[in-house]
């Protein structure tokens, strides 16, 4: 049953994603925007373009689950005038053509006009940064949080080197972030690193990379991630309680109110998978972090459940949602044929 659903999902994405972006400048474009040219661009050419939206996959996984696809699709819809770049570590030992042939869904994503998929090569990424000596000597086999640590390091280097916005693959974009240099507050005195944006070669990120190495401790989860961002921000700024919905600003860095990305806190993450009497409007938010790290129960978006997460999929990644509906219907049809 599971294999059949995956097969239908991959097949549908080949057609659905291609159709979606042919229509991208019609009602699917939420804001006034000009799509990026569809011509072939190299990684160097893409990364030389303006402010980018960047996603990372630091495992060897080559078939992104629906939540990842929803994150990428939502960003592509909201930021049609920007490159949306998805870096995958699993492409190191495979050509993209080979990966596409094994999963059409990934092939379909790469056909979106402003979405680009490239290999994540950390040894190259960390060149000319304080992270390279650390990376060359760290024993990854002894690092129990290596997937997270390598992601923490990669996002710092990526945004410093190329400029733009990094987003976790469980962040659903709902409107553009207006700030260029920003951190996302989880509380008045704690910064996330699940989404942040800076202009190229920003000094703050350089200092973060230096601190990453100088205070490295792989045994503490988050020490190189949100705790790093928080301690570096506290060195610069006197963090105070947020007043109403106002953001804070210090040394040309915007510290954005928790409601901008975390209107539902990590302690309440299950609310995304519940039915709400009235749907929240999230008028003060730019994106929604779905806290996939907390989802040890492996809760999924269920079609027809009318949960908040289902409505989010319908609104902000309708192509992904439609593909899941199609896959479920195809699976039912196959099951009926087998029993008849």
């Amino acid at each position: 049953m599971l294999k059949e659903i995956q097969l239908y999902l991959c097949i549908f994405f080949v057609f659905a994603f291609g159709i979606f972006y042919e229509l991208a400048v019609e009602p699917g474009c939420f804001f006034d925007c000009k799509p990026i040219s569809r011509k072939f661009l190299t990684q160097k050419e893409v990364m030389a373009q303006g402010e980018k939206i960047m996603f990372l996959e630091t495992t060897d996984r080559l078939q992104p689950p629906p939540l990842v696809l929803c994150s990428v699709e939502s960003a592509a819809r909201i930021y049609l005038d920007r490159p949306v770049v998805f870096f995958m570590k699993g492409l190191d030992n495979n050509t993209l053509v080979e990966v596409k042939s094994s999963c059409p869904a990934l092939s379909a994503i790469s056909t979106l006009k402003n979405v680009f998929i490239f290999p994540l090569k950390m040894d190259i990424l960390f060149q000319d940064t304080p992270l390279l000596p650390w990376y060359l000597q760290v024993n990854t086999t002894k690092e129990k949080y290596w997937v997270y640590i390598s992601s923490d390091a990669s996002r710092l280097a990526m945004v410093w080197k190329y400029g733009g916005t990094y987003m976790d693959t469980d962040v659903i974009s709902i409107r553009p972030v207006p700030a260029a240099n920003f951190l996302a507050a989880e509380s008045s005195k704690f910064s996330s690193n699940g989404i942040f944006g800076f202009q190229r070669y920003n000094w703050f990120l350089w200092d973060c990379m230096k601190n990453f190495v100088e205070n490295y401790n792989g045994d503490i989860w988050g020490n190189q991630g949100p705790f790093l961002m928080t301690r570096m921000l506290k060195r610069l700024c006197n963090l105070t309680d947020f007043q109403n919905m106002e953001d804070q600003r210090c040394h040309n860095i915007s510290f954005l109110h928790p409601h901008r990305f975390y209107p539902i806190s990590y302690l309440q993450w299950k609310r995304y998978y519940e039915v709400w009497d009235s749907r929240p409007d999230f008028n003060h938010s730019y994106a929604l972090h779905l806290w996939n790290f907390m989802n040890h129960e492996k809760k999924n978006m269920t079609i027809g459940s009318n949960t908040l997460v289902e409505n989010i999929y319908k609104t902000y990644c309708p192509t992904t949602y439609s593909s899941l509906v199609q896959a479920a219907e195809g699976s039912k049809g196959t099951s009926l044929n087998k029993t008849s």
Side-chain angles (χ1 to χ4, degrees):
M1 177 70 71
L2 180 58
K3 290 183 177 180
E4 292 169 353
I5 293 176
Q6 291 175 334
L7 176 61
Y8 278 102
L9 179 60
C10 284
I11 293 174
F12 182 83
F13 266 108
V14 173
F15 298 98
F17 266 112
I19 292 172
F20 156 58
Y21 253 73
E22 287 297 330
L23 301 175
V25 295
E26 300 300 329
C29 183
F30 292 170
F31 302 90
D32 292 334
C33 49
K34 181 180 179 181
I36 289 174
S37 171
R38 197 183 179 91
K39 70 170 185 170
F40 175 78
L41 296 173
T42 65
Q43 179 173 339
K44 183 177 181 180
E45 290 172 330
V46 171
M47 300 311 288
Q49 296 186 29
E51 298 299 307
K52 294 156 287 293
I53 309 298
M54 293 170 279
F55 296 90
L56 297 173
E57 176 59 71
T58 53
T59 72
D60 292 323
R61 181 172 61 183
L62 291 174
Q63 296 190 8
L67 180 55
V68 174
L69 296 172
C70 185
S71 296
V72 174
E73 181 191 342
S74 67
R77 283 181 174 270
I78 297 300
Y79 301 96
L80 269 172
D81 58 338
R82 300 189 192 182
V84 177
V85 190
F86 187 22
F87 286 92
M88 301 181 70
K89 176 179 173 290
L91 293 180
D92 279 352
N93 298 318
N94 302 275
T95 66
L96 185 56
V97 173
E98 292 171 344
V99 172
K100 288 178 181 179
S101 65
S102 66
C103 181
L106 197 60
S107 177
I109 292 176
S110 68
T111 65
L112 304 187
K113 290 183 179 179
N114 63 332
V115 171
F116 303 88
I117 302 173
F118 297 123
L120 175 60
K121 298 182 180 296
M122 296 183 197
D123 56 337
I124 297 176
L125 174 63
F126 294 149
Q127 289 179 6
D128 303 317
T129 78
L131 297 171
L132 184 61
W134 159 80
Y135 178 73
L136 294 176
Q137 68 181 15
V138 67
N139 186 347
T140 61
T141 61
K142 295 184 178 180
E143 299 287 343
K144 61 180 177 179
Y145 298 124
W146 178 245
V147 169
Y148 304 104
I149 292 170
S150 61
S151 179
D152 291 335
S154 296
R155 67 188 70 176
L156 288 172
M158 193 77 69
V159 178
W160 176 81
K161 186 171 280 191
Y162 300 113
T165 298
Y166 165 81
M167 295 184 183
D168 277 350
T169 52
D170 57 349
V171 172
I172 309 301
S173 298
I174 64 175
R175 57 178 56 87
V177 180
N181 300 317
F182 73 89
L183 294 173
E186 287 188 33
S187 68
S188 60
K189 293 180 174 59
F190 192 81
S191 175
S192 162
N193 75 331
I195 176 169
F196 61 92
F198 284 90
Q199 295 171 315
R200 190 181 185 191
Y201 299 147
N202 185 275
W203 58 271
F204 178 78
L205 293 183
W206 181 266
D207 288 348
C208 284
M209 289 188 288
K210 289 175 60 179
N211 189 277
F212 183 107
V213 176
E214 293 168 358
N215 294 280
Y216 183 75
N217 187 339
D219 292 330
I220 302 176
W221 185 91
N223 188 62
Q224 272 61 54
F227 293 110
L228 166 65
M229 291 296 203
T230 300
R231 64 178 176 261
M232 294 302 292
L233 186 63
K234 285 183 175 180
R235 287 184 180 183
L236 294 172
C237 311
N238 179 26
L239 301 180
T240 59
D241 292 338
F242 285 97
Q243 302 298 319
N244 300 317
M245 286 293 166
E246 294 181 3
D247 303 317
Q248 298 186 32
R249 190 168 177 83
C250 172
H251 290 274
N252 199 34
I253 299 173
S254 296
F255 191 41
L256 302 184
H257 194 285
H259 274 265
R260 304 303 184 200
F261 307 104
Y262 307 105
I264 296 177
S265 72
Y266 76 95
L267 294 174
Q268 298 178 310
W269 69 270
K270 290 183 180 180
R271 297 210 66 194
Y272 280 114
Y273 298 89
E274 296 175 355
V275 177
W276 290 49
D277 293 333
S278 59
R279 183 180 170 185
D281 53 33
F282 298 120
N283 283 340
H284 299 291
S285 302
Y286 305 131
L288 307 174
H289 194 287
L290 268 59
W291 303 108
N292 194 52
F293 178 75
M294 298 293 296
N295 190 2
H296 305 299
E297 301 172 30
K298 304 298 181 183
K299 290 181 178 290
N300 294 311
M301 188 279 295
T302 303
I303 297 167
S305 62
N306 196 33
T307 54
L308 178 58
V309 71
E310 183 186 22
N311 287 306
I312 289 171
Y313 271 57
K314 285 181 178 180
T315 303
Y316 301 109
C317 56
T319 304
T320 300
Y321 180 79
S322 296
S323 72
L324 295 172
V325 173
Q326 182 78 9
E329 291 175 349
S331 178
K332 289 180 182 178
T334 301
S335 298
L336 289 174
N337 289 334
K338 286 184 177 180
T339 58
S340 60

